[in-house]
Amino acid sequence: MFHPRRTLRALLLPLAAGLALTALPATPAHAASTLTNGGFEADGAGAPTPAGWSEYGDTGASFTEPGGHGGSHRLSHWAAGAYKVETYQYLSGLANGSYKLTAWVRSGGGQKAAYIALKNCGGAEQRTDLPVSASGWIRIVVPVNVTTNQCTITINSDANAGNWINVDDLTFAPGTSGTSIKGADVSSLVKSEAEGGLYRSASGTAGDALSLLKSNGMNYARLKVWVDPADGYNNKARVLAAAKRVKAQGVKLLVDFHYSDFWADPGRQDKPAAWAGHSYSQLKTDVYRHTYDVLNALKAQGTTADMVQVGNEINGGMLWNEGSTSNWTQLADLLNSGYDAVKAVSSGTTVALHLAEGGDLEGTRWWFDSARSHGVRFDAIGLSYYGYWHGTLADFQTTLDDAATRYGKPVFVAETAYPFRLDSEDSHENIINTADELVPGYPASVTGQTRWMNDVASIVEAVPNGRGLGVFYWEATWTAVSGNGWDPTDASSGNAWENQALFGYDDRALASMSWFRHR
């Protein structure tokens, strides 16, 4: 277990805890046109003020110590009492333009604030919070547009007693970053409304859920398609109607084909009843015709899909057993049937392949290596990543970065979510409902939900070479409404997910929707 402790503690006594941080001193102690000592190696262990850097606030809480990300040492913030400290470096003589700061970080969590920022660069301050990761290092980025030939890099902690961060291997170079997709799956919405579900603004005014999400920054909606579901929802006709509403909001559309009448995921990929007994050859035709039919109808009504998933969480393949990963040649042909249908309708529509278990590096490599060796065609990679099931944030970053680099494709989070409370609004037990199921450092609160989403988005933003597209929140509108449960064959089934929606038990938009405004 990692235990960050200070070296030479007697020499590094913190100043009075709680000293408020205000503006930086007018004349910084260091000025250079390039970042100095970004790896904190210049001084060795125990340096209270690393070479090239300055400190402000409770300066004893900022120091170098052994255990770097790349080299032998790192910067740490820690104190036995509450503290506020800023470690900063002033750069001058910069050519104006776009820059990107990259840093490797760890944090034990618990702070009121822990972030890296770029300020006094000529525009608004840009900051990225440190994700909570007590063991694995995580890379984060901060972009800025320099317009005054100068910029200040700051590492900030507003911390409670014993809180800690590690920072290392900072680089500051020309470049940009950001994410283009701030999305949400809203597949449950139409049935919710039909069963009496209401959606309200944060102030309590009743409104249209899509409009409320859009006004908070959502720019992409995801809709699943089942072939012939028992309840008549999430079929072609319903998706066509929902797509009109999505596009009327000026929001882009991802269509998620399950190729089933029911939920498709790593544990279940049932053929639609209409395709039961079909030969493998006929199934290839079924995939093509169904995909083409839905997408062409969307195009005909002026709501062409911007992105399409050929299959949902297809770790084990789809259309079992013919399309199982135990027969990659057949699975590849089925996937390519879907790809060809998408492109026949609209060559500009992005085709994504979607796996679950976004922290599973080896499993993801195995799957996409197999797909590539069998000639599967695709444009983007989508991963589900639920932190309470799919490994640590560091595992997730490793997998996402590897997929983008190894296959040369853009990547995105097709599904993630986090609870804002643990208790259930209806009589059905929630999937995540005890504190020991949560990700350490992320409480089941609106604050915890917000931090989770921003930190996941920060990891996607940091994917090398700009290949991180963004994030979809899974089932933002699936509130507890009688009749809108998980099982389309059972009208009395309940909802196990309402504590992970983006609307509260009072139907009001949660403040966690602010994550849609992530860079």
Side-chain angles (χ1 to χ4, degrees):
M1 176 62 76
F2 171 67
H3 294 287
R5 305 301 295 172
R6 83 174 1 169
T7 350
L8 304 174
R9 188 181 311 168
L11 300 179
L12 299 172
L13 291 173
L15 299 181
L19 180 64
L21 295 182
T22 55
L24 293 175
T27 308
H30 304 281
S33 59
T34 57
L35 178 63
T36 302
N37 193 22
F40 303 100
E41 299 296 327
D43 315 282
T49 306
W53 294 86
S54 302
E55 293 170 347
Y56 190 64
D58 298 320
T59 56
S62 173
F63 50 92
T64 59
E65 63 179 345
H69 166 261
S72 300
H73 300 92
R74 66 192 183 213
L75 176 76
S76 294
H77 286 178
W78 179 88
Y83 64 94
K84 294 183 182 181
V85 69
E86 188 164 13
T87 308
Y88 67 95
Q89 188 169 150
Y90 170 66
L91 303 180
S92 62
L94 296 170
N96 287 336
S98 297
Y99 289 84
K100 181 171 68 175
L101 178 73
T102 302
W104 287 89
V105 301
R106 296 192 294 200
S107 172
Q111 301 90 346
K112 298 172 188 172
Y115 61 92
I116 296 180
L118 298 172
K119 60 201 297 187
N120 304 328
C121 310
E125 175 182 330
Q126 299 294 318
R127 63 171 64 176
T128 301
D129 292 331
L130 272 63
V132 179
S133 179
S135 54
W137 290 91
I138 290 176
R139 185 183 60 257
I140 59 174
V141 296
V142 191
V144 74
N145 187 33
V146 174
T147 59
T148 55
N149 304 110
Q150 62 182 359
C151 197
T152 303
I153 298 165
T154 71
I155 302 163
N156 302 264
S157 292
D158 182 355
N160 299 302
N163 293 161
W164 61 270
I165 66 170
N166 301 149
V167 179
D168 203 5
D169 293 339
L170 288 90
T171 59
F172 184 77
T176 59
S177 72
T179 53
S180 59
I181 294 174
K182 289 91 171 176
D185 192 303
V186 292
S187 297
S188 63
L189 176 60
V190 174
K191 187 175 181 182
S192 172
E193 292 170 333
E195 298 292 345
L198 295 175
Y199 298 89
R200 302 182 184 277
S201 69
S203 62
T205 304
D208 175 72
L210 291 176
S211 178
L212 291 167
L213 288 163
K214 165 70 182 300
S215 68
N216 278 279
M218 183 189 76
N219 66 8
Y220 228 119
R222 180 179 187 251
L223 297 172
K224 73 170 176 271
V225 186
W226 286 337
V227 177
D228 188 20
D231 62 357
Y233 288 89
N234 302 114
N235 60 10
K236 174 187 171 184
R238 301 283 191 181
V239 167
L240 285 169
K244 283 186 177 180
R245 293 175 57 187
V246 166
K247 291 283 189 169
Q249 293 290 338
V251 169
K252 290 186 175 182
L253 174 64
L254 166 57
V255 178
D256 172 19
F257 285 92
H258 283 228
Y259 301 111
S260 179
D261 296 335
F262 195 76
W263 300 101
D265 55 45
R268 183 169 186 170
Q269 295 280 338
D270 299 337
K271 286 194 285 284
W275 304 358
H278 284 193
S279 67
Y280 159 65
S281 178
Q282 181 63 40
L283 288 172
K284 286 195 292 184
T285 302
D286 292 334
V287 168
Y288 187 96
R289 287 178 174 171
H290 171 60
T291 307
Y292 185 93
D293 179 50
V294 173
L295 296 179
N296 196 51
L298 284 166
K299 180 181 178 181
Q301 71 173 14
T303 60
T304 300
D306 298 283
M307 187 187 295
V308 168
Q309 281 179 220
V310 177
N312 187 78
E313 294 191 333
I314 51 176
N315 301 58
M318 65 185 199
L319 295 169
W320 289 348
N321 289 318
E322 288 81 354
S324 162
T325 50
S326 62
N327 190 330
W328 259 104
T329 300
Q330 291 189 177
L331 174 58
D333 284 348
L334 290 168
L335 293 171
N336 282 336
S337 287
Y339 178 93
D340 290 343
V342 176
K343 297 298 185 178
V345 173
S346 170
S347 62
T349 297
T350 299
V351 177
L353 297 180
H354 170 210
L355 300 187
E357 301 174 20
D360 180 7
L361 174 64
E362 294 307 316
T364 302
R365 275 187 175 180
W366 173 82
W367 200 97
F368 278 100
D369 281 359
S370 301
R372 186 168 61 178
S373 69
H374 286 87
V376 177
R377 298 186 290 279
F378 61 99
D379 304 320
I381 293 171
L383 298 177
S384 293
Y385 175 62
Y386 296 100
Y388 35 72
W389 295 327
H390 295 157
T392 67
L393 286 168
D395 294 334
F396 166 57
Q397 180 167 73
T398 299
T399 306
L400 196 67
D401 289 357
D402 184 78
T405 302
R406 190 176 182 90
Y407 309 106
K409 301 290 187 181
V411 295
F412 65 98
V413 177
E415 298 181 17
T416 191
Y418 206 76
F420 62 90
R421 58 195 292 172
L422 291 173
D423 61 315
S424 183
E425 186 181 5
D426 62 10
S427 59
H428 193 79
E429 184 177 279
N430 289 333
I431 289 177
I432 303 298
N433 66 349
T434 62
D436 61 359
E437 294 174 295
L438 299 173
V439 181
Y442 297 90
S445 64
V446 173
T447 297
Q449 187 183 49
T450 307
R451 287 177 177 168
W452 176 259
M453 290 308 300
N454 275 314
D455 291 348
V456 168
S458 291
I459 287 172
V460 177
E461 182 186 16
V463 171
N465 301 310
R467 290 198 176 111
L469 293 179
V471 181
F472 287 91
Y473 194 94
W474 194 70
E475 283 290 14
T477 58
W478 200 8
T479 54
V481 176
S482 179
N484 192 27
W486 70 273
D487 187 351
T489 70
D490 179 4
S492 67
S493 63
N495 182 357
W497 204 260
E498 75 269 17
N499 67 325
Q500 298 193 66
L502 292 181
F503 291 86
Y505 289 5
D506 58 2
D507 301 323
R508 296 187 183 203
L510 296 174
S512 42
M513 284 189 192
S514 63
W515 88 263
F516 286 121
R517 293 189 287 274
H518 193 277
R519 261 187 319 268

